[in-house]
Amino acid sequence: MASIEPMKPTKPVKPVKPTELTEPTKYGERAVAGGITFYELFGGVPLMAILRGMSPDKSVQLAVRAWDLGIECVEVPVQDKAAGRALAAVVAAGAGRGKAVGAGTVTSVERLDRAVTAGAAFTVAPGFDAEVARASVDAGLPHLPGVATATDVQAARALGLTWVKAFPASVLGVEWFRAMRGPFPEVPFVATGGMDAGNAAAYLAAGARVVAVGSALEDPAQLDQLAALLAH
């Protein structure tokens, strides 16, 4: 019988310093949300907007619609160079309104560089990657990692990250959020993936702090529902 080599001890993950998550920074004359908490970024609003795969003009149009509704937080994924241009356009539009705009789908340091170049104020990822999270925080951008298990949540919290993104929320289901409230009552979850005006309220009631919507902003029939959620 072949011998089994003992497992090598894993390298401990160095926690993020609290100051890296709480102290605001400035780049030039433009105040950036780097380092501040997502509590401030969301502004107490239970919705955020994700504008994926759109032209710069369309992205700005829907970002303005989101801001006019009362949504404080807008994310533009940066999965390719074209998306980086859309992000830059929305960042410029947000600057005139004092709105923070973040970069989504930041799954590598290369994409983080794209986000920084475009002027993003925060980063979001579909999963948890300690290297990407630390690089983002070191760049002055708070990071929202994706989670789907209790292990993911613990790993993100151990690194010093406060908010987490439950993805894909529609697959996890509302019962997942109810179950997570037991062991993690202090953790603010953002429900992302398959969310719209029709199911957002159910996820908020189940324990999500924020629900991220995208295509709902393009549907006139859903705008009144989104406004109603914001009003409450």
Side-chain angles (χ1 to χ4, degrees):
M1 181 176 179
S3 60
I4 299 175
E5 294 184 2
M7 293 180 63
K8 295 180 180 180
T10 58
K11 184 178 179 181
V13 177
K14 178 185 174 185
V16 173
K17 296 178 182 179
T19 54
E20 292 176 328
L21 295 175
T22 58
E23 292 183 359
T25 61
K26 287 181 180 293
Y27 292 83
E29 296 180 357
R30 181 171 65 86
V32 179
I36 68 174
T37 70
F38 279 100
Y39 289 100
E40 295 167 277
L41 287 169
F42 288 120
V45 177
L47 295 176
M48 74 176 289
I50 299 178
L51 311 178
R52 179 185 295 279
M54 302 174 187
S55 68
D57 288 345
K58 183 69 171 180
S59 296
V60 169
Q61 177 189 346
L62 291 186
V64 169
R65 182 174 296 172
W67 292 325
D68 287 346
L69 274 173
I71 296 173
E72 293 291 325
C73 226
V74 171
E75 168 199 332
V76 180
V78 289
Q79 62 272 17
D80 53 39
K81 291 182 179 179
R85 291 190 289 272
L87 171 60
V90 178
V91 166
R97 288 176 167 240
K99 303 296 185 183
V101 178
T105 320
V106 179
T107 57
S108 65
V109 175
E110 178 185 0
R111 289 186 179 185
L112 173 61
D113 291 341
R114 189 177 295 152
V116 172
T117 299
F122 61 92
T123 60
V124 184
F128 171 70
D129 184 312
E131 179 184 4
V132 171
R134 176 166 295 285
S136 182
V137 173
D138 286 346
L141 310 183
H143 184 69
L144 183 68
V147 300
T149 67
T151 300
D152 294 340
V153 176
Q154 286 187 223
R157 298 287 285 185
L159 193 65
L161 303 173
T162 303
W163 286 68
V164 295
K165 160 186 163 177
F167 177 82
S170 62
V171 176
L172 294 172
V174 292
E175 292 303 325
W176 185 92
F177 289 86
R178 292 194 180 99
M180 287 295 175
R181 297 313 327 155
F184 304 113
E186 78 288 359
V187 177
F189 290 96
V190 179
T192 305
M195 299 291 97
D196 57 30
N199 61 14
Y203 281 82
L204 291 170
R209 187 70 64 85
V210 172
V211 170
V213 297
S215 59
L217 292 167
E218 298 184 85
D219 182 1
Q222 295 192 56
L223 294 180
D224 286 344
Q225 291 176 274
L226 294 178
L229 282 171
L230 293 167
H232 290 292

